[in-house]
Structures are given as C-alpha cells and as structure tokens.
Amino acid sequence: MSFRSLIQDMRDEFGSISRHTLRSRSHRSAGNASRAAAAEPSQAMDQSCWSQLPPELLREVLVRIEASESWWPARKDVVSCAGVCRTWRGIMKEAVRVPEVSGKLTFPISLKQPGPRDGTLKCFIRRNRTTQTYYLYIGLTEALADDGKFLLAARKCRKPTCTDYLISLDKVDMSKGSSTYIGKLRSNFLGTKFTVYDAHPPYDGAVVSKSRSARVIGLNQVSPRIPAGNYPVSHISYELNVLGSRGPRRMNCVMDSIPASAVEEGGKAPTQTEFPLSSLDSFPSIPFFRSKSARIDTASQSSTQKEDRLVLKNKSPRWHEQLQCWCLNFRGRVTVASVKNFQLVASDDNGSGSQENDKVILQFGNIGKDLFTMDYRYPISAFQAFSICLSSFDTKIACE
C-alpha cells in the first residue's frame, strides 16, 4: 500500500467514526446524550485499526496530512485530526506552525497570533448595514472576495457616550456573555479615539483595565469560567479634520502589546499559544482546544513594558493631478475610492530603518457595496487588524 493510500484510508476511517458518533447521538435520550457522546469517539478509536499503529508511523502520517492540506477548505482535515484524541491533538499542535512562519490560519488561536513575516494574509470584510454587523473571512482564491473561510464577527453597540464593537468567534452570538467573545473596540463620543481590548492577556504580566464595564461583566453577566477581562492592546486616534479641510484622514495606532523592535530584523512580538485555562468550555465543538495548561510565549517577558511600544501611522496618499484626487497604490486590492481606505506603516518615531517604515503592515479598502479587503502581516494579528479596520467604519463627527 502506498503512503498516499494509507493517508486516504486514515481519513475514511476517521470519517466513519464521526458519522457513527453522529448517528448514535441522534438516537439517545437527552439525559444520557452528553455522557455517551463524550465516550463515543474514544471507544470508536479503540476499536479502530489506528489504535494499534506505532507512534512513529502515526506521527509521520499526521505530519504529512498537515503538510498536504495547505489551505482551506482542505485544511479542515487538520482540524478534524486534532480533535480525535489527546495524542493526535498533541502531534497536530506540534506539526502546525504559527502564522508568523507558515502563513496559515488553522486553529482559532491563530487569530491572536502575529501574521506572516514574508508576505501577507489576504482577507475581506462583509458589512451588514441592517444588523450593524461585520464578518471577517480569509480568501480561498486569488479573487478579491469569494465564499471565504469565516474567521471573526463583530456587532456595533451604540451607547450615549461611546460605541462598542463586540468581537466574537461566532457568527451569531456576539454578546459579551458568550463563550466565544474575544475582545472589543471602544470609541469616544466624537469617533476620534479608539481602544482595542483583548478578553485574554496578550502577554505575560498584562494588566487588565479597571473600567466599570469590566467589573460589571466579571461579577454579574459572565460565568467565572469564561474570561472577560479588558486588556488594552492598542489605541487608535484620528486627527481632527473638520469638513476635510486638512486633506485625507490621518490615523495613528499605538500597539500597547507589541514592542517597537518587533518590526526590526530579528525582532519579536508576543505570541499567544493557547487560550487561558478558564476558557475550557469556550469551544465545545473544538475539543483539541481543551488543555491542561495555558501558555503565552514570553521569550521577552513583558517586553512591551520595558521597551517603546510600536507606533503605526497611515501612509500619506499623493495628489493625482489628472484624476484630481488623493491616491495610494493598493496593488489591485482596492477598487473603489473611499475615505475609509488606508495603509498602515511603522512610524518614524519607532527609530527603525527607512526600508522597514515603507513596508505596509495593514491595508484596508473598499471593493464594492459593503465589501472591503483587509491584508495584514507581522507583527499584528488578525484580531488586531480587524479591530483597527472596524475603527474606520465608525462615524467621525470631527474628522470628515
């Protein structure tokens, strides 16, 4: 039997286990369903031929599956293998590299990890004006937008003095009390200043915000097993520009959780490797997330407290005499002129070289009605990039 046939047989075996589990669950009573469902996959695996496979060969098979399924939707096979049992999960977690190195998004924690150093991850955002919701997808093809793989969702919540954008891993449930809530973006009344809050500590030693909302959530609304901390990870500000008298928007982003040295050669940005232990039940449909430890990569422990923070600014557009408008080179990824379009680069205040300052870290722009592209790279994550782009959607009384 060839190795390719071995892998295909493995997938078929796992598929039959999954189907058998689903059929069994549908015939059980409600009282016994949860207990039996938990035992069913392990029992099926014990009866499978794969339970007797030598560990070295099993590792080789799983590693090859991870290498062969390089992009979505085929990448779901990697996620399925990681959900079989603890042994398979451990092997897959070792095989799957972080987006910084691989340029791939596999597990939900990837959305909190910095993007690739070489190249960008090309995503797009769909806006629903009626429900005031926003959905982030990663593209499956080279097209500007396609069916996409869903990543994150956000819902706009207006308040008397501010506006919140609640960000979730779930398309439907975007409430703070949800187990899939991962953070929020909050604006001031004028829409000129924004703060991005992470529900989980972005690095070792991160300090939770002592805002009133954090105390209310922690005490009254959310189960103690669900983390609802407000850890500020970035501050976004738009320069006052009444009636557009000063030209296009000017924005400035201070990344509280990323040191300025991250954009330099050999620089490091904090990388979350697992969700905290308190979110054991945050992903009931993704069993490979349940782990005994909650770790954060702390190679430069609390480096953002010891070093200057990374500052991003929007790249200044140029005035086009023939078109009589401000222009930026989006390399074909933006097709509709809009005040919301922007490119973020490292600010000169970071002290990095001019070549690093010219590298676009985040790009956002309009490509159609309620459709926008979002391309990002190291050292920011998909969660941070999505939050910054949401700030561009908000109404800015004093900036337009």
Side-chain angles (χ1 to χ4, degrees), residues 71-72 105 111 121-128 133-141 143-154 170-172 333 370-376 382 386:
W71 204 244
W72 296 91
L105 298 176
L111 303 175
L121 283 174
K122 298 178 180 180
C123 309
F124 60 94
I125 298 174
R126 294 186 188 275
R127 174 177 60 180
N128 188 320
T133 51
Y134 307 82
Y135 303 95
L136 176 66
Y137 300 83
I138 189 167
L140 303 179
T141 64
L144 294 178
D146 47 35
D147 292 339
K149 167 70 175 71
F150 170 76
L151 300 178
L152 292 170
D170 193 281
K171 273 186 176 183
V172 180
R333 291 285 294 166
D370 298 324
L371 196 57
F372 305 80
T373 55
M374 186 197 88
D375 304 339
Y376 76 99
F386 186 43

Side-chain angles (χ1 to χ4, degrees), residues 168-197:
S168 171
L169 292 165
D170 193 281
K171 273 186 176 183
V172 180
D173 191 353
M174 289 173 268
S175 63
K176 285 184 179 178
S178 168
S179 60
T180 53
Y181 168 76
I182 62 170
K184 70 179 180 181
L185 172 74
R186 168 166 289 184
S187 76
N188 64 356
F189 176 74
L190 295 177
T192 56
K193 296 184 183 295
F194 299 80
T195 303
V196 179
Y197 293 99

Side-chain angles (χ1 to χ4, degrees), residues 9 46 49 63 75 81 85 90 100 104 107 137 140-141 163 171 176 190 206 230 238 252 318 335 361 387:
D9 182 45
D46 291 340
C49 61
V63 168
R75 194 95 178 137
C81 288
C85 62
E100 173 187 348
K104 302 173 186 177
F107 304 143
Y137 300 83
L140 303 179
T141 64
T163 300
K171 273 186 176 183
K176 285 184 179 178
L190 295 177
N230 280 342
Y238 289 82
N252 194 68
R318 296 180 179 180
T335 58
I361 295 175
S387 302

Side-chain angles (χ1 to χ4, degrees), residues 12-63:
D12 294 341
E13 181 76 18
F14 176 67
S16 64
I17 292 172
S18 301
R19 289 190 295 272
H20 176 68
T21 300
L22 290 175
R23 286 196 300 269
S24 300
R25 287 179 182 176
S26 63
H27 290 89
R28 295 189 186 103
S29 61
N32 298 326
S34 59
R35 292 190 298 272
E40 187 68 33
S42 59
Q43 292 175 357
M45 281 302 299
D46 291 340
Q47 300 170 4
S48 168
C49 61
W50 297 102
S51 62
Q52 305 301 323
L53 198 67
E56 296 79 9
L57 182 56
L58 174 62
R59 179 180 296 274
E60 181 67 18
V61 171
L62 294 179
V63 168

Side-chain angles (χ1 to χ4, degrees), residues 246-250 314-331 337 341-343 358:
R246 298 184 181 179
R249 288 179 180 176
R250 297 179 184 178
N314 66 305
K315 194 172 184 178
S316 300
R318 296 180 179 180
W319 179 257
H320 197 290
E321 289 293 343
Q322 293 181 338
L323 300 177
Q324 290 294 296
C325 65
W326 297 96
C327 295
L328 276 172
N329 183 9
F330 288 95
R331 303 186 183 280
N341 302 347
F342 67 80
Q343 291 178 328
D358 292 337

Side-chain angles (χ1 to χ4, degrees), residues 178-313:
S178 168
S179 60
T180 53
Y181 168 76
I182 62 170
K184 70 179 180 181
L185 172 74
R186 168 166 289 184
S187 76
N188 64 356
F189 176 74
L190 295 177
T192 56
K193 296 184 183 295
F194 299 80
T195 303
V196 179
Y197 293 99
D198 196 329
H200 313 107
Y203 56 88
D204 188 33
V207 179
V208 67
S209 172
K210 298 297 182 181
S211 65
R212 178 180 179 275
S213 60
R215 293 196 298 270
V216 171
I217 295 169
L219 294 176
N220 300 331
Q221 297 181 8
V222 183
S223 166
R225 295 165 62 178
I226 299 174
N230 280 342
Y231 296 90
V233 293
S234 62
H235 290 81
I236 308 160
S237 60
Y238 289 82
E239 187 175 308
L240 293 176
N241 188 13
V242 180
L243 300 178
S245 58
R246 298 184 181 179
R249 288 179 180 176
R250 297 179 184 178
M251 62 187 300
N252 194 68
C253 301
V254 179
M255 311 303 294
D256 296 340
S257 60
I258 304 176
S261 60
V263 295
E264 300 174 0
E265 187 70 26
K268 289 286 293 180
T271 303
Q272 298 182 45
T273 56
E274 285 187 350
F275 284 100
L277 184 64
S278 54
S279 52
L280 284 175
D281 296 325
S282 292
F283 305 93
S285 62
I286 313 176
F288 57 84
F289 254 158
R290 302 182 180 181
S291 173
K292 292 183 178 180
S293 63
R295 305 186 305 272
I296 296 177
D297 184 5
T298 57
S300 56
Q301 289 187 353
S302 304
S303 60
T304 52
Q305 297 177 349
K306 301 176 183 178
E307 303 180 33
D308 293 334
R309 295 171 295 180
L310 175 65
V311 179
L312 305 177
K313 67 173 183 178

